[in-house]
Amino acid sequence: MSYTHIAPSELVAKLGSLAEDEWIVDVREPHEWDYYHLDEAILMPMNSIPGRLDELPRDKTLYIICAHGVRSEMVSRYLDESGYDRVVNVTGGMAAVAALLGFEYD
């Protein structure tokens, strides 16, 4: 395993100052995204990843996030096995990030 992990607090600290070569990829489903999401993220549901690899640059750091960290772990492993070497799984997922940011729920 050559991908790494980042704590939700570390990702939150990066928000607003992401470098040009850093992307946040949200692998949840559209209805989860609609509930709450990070403005800096791009939505790419987990099951769409294999058919959309050409949209993910290999020369950027990809922070992979899902709801709780399970799907993002699987996607991180898949990207690692597909030759991406700058993959970072966000542990705890959007639930942990949202709790840190104090997102309001409807």
Side-chain angles (χ1 to χ4, degrees), residues 7-37:
S9 58
E10 292 175 272
L11 182 70
V12 167
K14 288 182 159 294
L15 296 177
S17 63
L18 286 173
E20 292 267 331
D21 66 343
E22 296 178 303
W23 281 20
I24 300 172
V25 181
D26 191 326
V27 298
R28 298 176 301 150
E29 294 299 315
H31 69 276
E32 295 171 293
W33 170 272
D34 291 343
Y35 191 61
Y36 57 68
H37 63 271

Side-chain angles (χ1 to χ4, degrees), residues 26 35 40 52 59 81 90 106:
D26 191 326
Y35 191 61
E40 298 86 348
R52 298 178 67 184
D59 62 342
E81 292 169 355
V90 181
D106 294 332

Side-chain angles (χ1 to χ4, degrees), residues 92-106:
M94 274 302 298
V97 169
L100 291 169
L101 293 174
F103 281 7
E104 299 281 327
Y105 306 112
D106 294 332

